[in-house]
Amino acid sequence: MRIVFMGTPDFAVPSLRLLVDGGYDIAAVVTQPDRPKGRKKTLTPPPVKEAALELGLPVLQPERMRSPEAVEVIRELAPELIVTAAYGQILPKGVLDIPRLGCINVHGSLLPKYRGGAPIQRSIINGESSTGVTIMYMAEGLDTGDMISVVELPITDEDTSGTMFEKLSLAGAELLGETLPSIIDGTAKAVPQNDAEATYAPNLTREDERMNWSRSARELFNQVRGLSPMAGAFTFLGGEVFKVRACEVASGKHAGSGVSAQPGTVVEAGPNGIVVATGEGKLLLTEIQPAGKRAMNAAEWLKGARLEPGTVFGDEGGSL
């Protein structure tokens, strides 16, 4: 079975390794170009490229898979099947039509919910209690192809995007291994998606990271863990960006002693962290990152910072 594998982030690496361990003939690994990363903008290869080179596989990094040159390269490789996992580009019809067994995608959601580029983050941000992986045939639309197999996983309050990426990447690789034999022998049953039930998970923007304190404590808690450990959620303190890396819905003795205040107001700052009033309930900030500094425990930061109750978090011009 001659396969071209396409993927970019860590999420895709277990699926690539499964194919290699399974003895499949990997004609090439296609991934995104190296990108500048970090404060020094160091040109950094994507995780899939690093894994492919470690495994001794040829790597291709076209800037645009839709370009005629990229399509021709894939055609010359003559794959019988293309497997993608978080590749990051939509495949054109010219590529979809090449392999005799089609193109399949390992997608990190329970389709047709959360089609798009950020399904894991948005499922947590939206407060879902479960998510999963769907293996599907690829079509020209955005994650619209027929579904082949599905696995569902719970999302707990302790989960972040980071933990769910890891869980789903491993579950997706296992599901891929279970599904491939039926695709190869022609017994796979493709089930069309119900478009009426479709929801979308577009890539995250800077605005998705901004905390609106008029929302409930639970909604803000979901937002913070849905953005962790990547960009993180942010607010403003003294006109400067102030990131919230971890938090919890305040309860009991950590709920600010029953103090009522406008959303965004600090009602308590001490050894437990920073308690902030929201539109409904209070939020306990436990890990923060002030502008220009590393992420740190909120209680640790408070030892050297003066943050008085009554201080208001907000946007650049004041409170939200």
Side-chain angles (χ1 to χ4, degrees):
M1 177 53 55
R2 187 170 172 82
I3 292 174
V4 165
F5 181 84
M6 300 183 180
T8 299
D10 287 314
F11 176 86
V13 172
S15 291
L16 174 59
R17 293 190 182 278
L18 177 130
L19 294 174
V20 173
D21 292 343
Y24 294 98
D25 176 16
I26 310 300
V29 173
V30 182
T31 189
Q32 298 275 43
D34 297 1
R35 304 292 189 197
K37 190 175 182 181
R39 290 186 177 181
K40 296 184 178 179
K41 302 298 181 183
T42 304
L43 200 61
T44 305
V48 163
K49 178 181 179 179
E50 293 181 325
L53 294 177
E54 175 195 327
L55 294 166
L57 300 172
V59 176
L60 303 174
Q61 295 178 275
E63 189 70 43
R64 293 179 61 253
M65 181 50 66
R66 289 183 174 276
S67 70
E69 296 81 7
V71 174
E72 185 56 32
V73 168
I74 302 300
R75 183 175 289 111
E76 291 176 357
L77 290 170
E80 297 171 88
L81 178 70
I82 291 177
V83 177
T84 74
Y87 171 47
Q89 294 191 40
I90 295 177
L91 303 190
K93 188 174 187 301
V95 171
L96 296 175
D97 290 343
I98 291 172
R100 68 177 180 85
L101 292 175
C103 304
I104 63 171
N105 181 37
V106 182
H107 182 75
S109 83
L110 300 173
L111 291 172
K113 295 185 70 175
Y114 296 104
R115 295 173 176 174
I120 299 173
Q121 298 98 315
R122 291 197 182 275
S123 64
I124 296 173
I125 290 171
N126 291 344
E128 300 285 0
S129 60
S130 67
T131 184
V133 176
T134 304
I135 294 181
M136 51 174 283
Y137 283 113
M138 299 181 72
E140 289 187 77
L142 180 63
D143 299 324
T144 57
D146 293 349
M147 301 178 293
I148 308 168
S149 57
V150 178
V151 62
E152 184 172 0
L153 278 73
I155 300 175
T156 70
D157 279 358
E158 288 70 42
D159 280 314
T160 65
S161 286
T163 63
M164 290 309 301
F165 264 95
E166 183 175 359
K167 292 177 184 180
L168 292 171
S169 68
L170 296 174
E174 184 176 352
L175 186 65
L176 177 63
E178 296 170 354
T179 305
L180 277 173
S182 65
I183 294 173
I184 294 168
D185 66 21
T187 61
K189 295 180 179 179
V191 179
Q193 296 185 43
N194 183 349
D195 290 340
E197 297 178 353
T199 61
Y200 292 88
N203 290 327
L204 297 168
T205 67
R206 181 69 167 164
E207 195 58 33
D208 290 313
E209 299 165 9
R210 182 191 292 264
M211 299 178 74
N212 182 343
W213 294 101
S214 65
R215 303 178 73 197
S216 71
R218 180 73 195 187
E219 289 173 316
L220 292 169
F221 167 68
N222 291 337
Q223 178 187 13
V224 169
R225 63 198 185 98
L227 295 166
S228 174
M230 288 73 79
F234 76 91
T235 184
F236 287 91
L237 179 64
E240 294 188 315
V241 170
F242 188 91
K243 290 193 174 184
V244 179
R245 293 290 186 177
C247 63
E248 57 188 70
V249 177
S251 60
K253 63 180 181 179
H254 302 318
S257 304
V259 176
S260 178
Q262 73 177 71
T265 303
V266 175
V267 296
E268 186 177 299
N272 298 315
I274 305 166
V275 180
V276 186
T278 73
E280 181 182 335
K282 297 181 178 68
L283 196 68
L284 174 63
L285 314 186
T286 56
E287 184 178 346
I288 51 88
Q289 185 175 3
K293 297 185 178 181
R294 63 177 176 84
M296 65 185 79
N297 181 276
E300 175 189 346
W301 176 72
L302 286 169
K303 292 177 182 178
R306 293 184 178 180
L307 185 70
E308 300 294 334
T311 301
V312 180
F313 287 109
D315 61 19
E316 294 140 299
S319 62
L320 288 173

